[in-house]
Amino acid sequence: KAEPETGTVVGVEALARWEHPRLGLVGPTEFVPIAEQTGLIAPLTSYVLDAALRQVREWMDEGRELSVAVNLSARSFLDTQLALEIPRLLAKHNVDARLLELEITESMLMLDPGRAQAVLERLSRIGLTLSVDDFGTGYSSLANLKRLPVDVIKIDKSFVMDMAIDASDAAIVRSTIDLAHNLGLRVVAEGVESHRSWTRLTE
């Protein structure tokens, strides 16, 4: 994650990959559903959070302060133990809660909005950052999100990647940024893979 005006890197995202001896590199879309079905998602989530915060601590010891974002699966998001586990891990690595960002998808919020709000409020009290990932691909709206204690929305890369050449995508990105800022939310644009896209976002 970088600031558009200066290009300064201010945060990173933790990405989990399984190095399988026979299958090679296996992505989370393949192994996370299995982890959820088998009950292994809780220890997997704990492992990823622990590794991410350990890395943040190492960077801090080197004089660099970077936040880290961790994606939550639907089951992890609704796990009541998560709000107890996170403070323990923050204390273990002596990392301020503001340097941890938890990402949930728009569709997860809309499955059970009432329950989602309760979970988000519990997590928000810890002091970490809450973001809505892949915004624009689900069925919610910024009007719905204004009731939830989220800090950031992440515009899905399907809108960002072609915004330099597609006027419709550019309009969607511009409108989403304006609406989010008017609601006091920060915005991250995902999928910036060209200088032209970077320039348009900065504008």
Side-chain angles (χ1 to χ4, degrees):
K1 184 166 58 175
E3 295 288 355
E5 295 86 357
T6 63
T8 303
V9 176
V10 294
V12 298
E13 183 174 344
L15 300 177
R17 300 292 183 268
W18 177 14
E19 279 196 59
H20 192 281
R22 185 169 52 84
L23 301 175
L25 211 58
V26 182
T29 55
E30 295 181 68
F31 66 75
V32 166
I34 297 171
E36 289 192 308
Q37 292 166 14
T38 57
L40 292 173
I41 193 65
L44 176 60
T45 300
S46 182
Y47 171 82
V48 172
L49 285 166
D50 186 57
L53 292 172
R54 183 187 310 114
Q55 181 62 67
V56 171
R57 180 70 258 171
E58 288 179 11
W59 283 327
M60 290 176 68
D61 292 341
E62 296 170 359
R64 291 182 291 175
E65 187 174 280
L66 295 172
S67 65
V68 63
V70 175
N71 289 280
L72 292 182
S73 71
R75 185 161 294 185
S76 294
F77 173 58
L78 297 175
D79 186 350
T80 56
Q81 294 301 306
L82 187 66
L84 302 174
E85 176 78 350
I86 289 174
R88 183 187 71 79
L89 291 171
L90 289 168
K92 174 185 175 182
H93 296 290
N94 191 25
V95 171
D96 194 291
R98 66 185 172 79
L99 294 178
L100 175 62
E101 178 180 335
L102 296 182
E103 295 187 9
I104 60 268
T105 64
E106 188 179 3
S107 57
M108 282 162 55
L109 293 177
M110 295 303 106
L111 282 175
D112 187 344
R115 188 176 178 190
Q117 180 161 358
V119 172
L120 287 172
E121 288 173 352
R122 198 157 51 238
L123 293 172
S124 180
R125 285 194 288 271
I126 297 171
L128 43 76
T129 299
L130 296 168
S131 66
V132 179
D133 200 13
D134 301 337
F135 188 81
T137 61
Y139 301 101
S140 72
S141 67
L142 287 169
N144 291 329
L145 289 178
K146 72 179 182 180
R147 302 193 314 272
L148 301 172
V150 297
D151 308 289
V152 179
I153 62 167
K154 298 195 170 185
I155 304 175
D156 188 70
K157 64 183 180 182
S158 61
F159 301 112
V160 176
M161 292 180 73
D162 293 330
M163 64 174 291
I165 56 174
D166 188 313
S168 296
D169 283 346
I172 290 170
V173 171
R174 185 186 307 109
S175 298
T176 304
I177 291 171
D178 287 343
L179 287 167
H181 284 170
N182 287 335
L183 290 173
L185 301 173
R186 299 196 303 277
V187 183
V188 172
E190 298 186 308
V192 181
E193 298 181 358
S194 71
H195 184 71
R196 290 179 70 187
S197 294
W198 180 274
T199 302
R200 289 301 303 276
L201 282 168
T202 304
E203 291 169 354

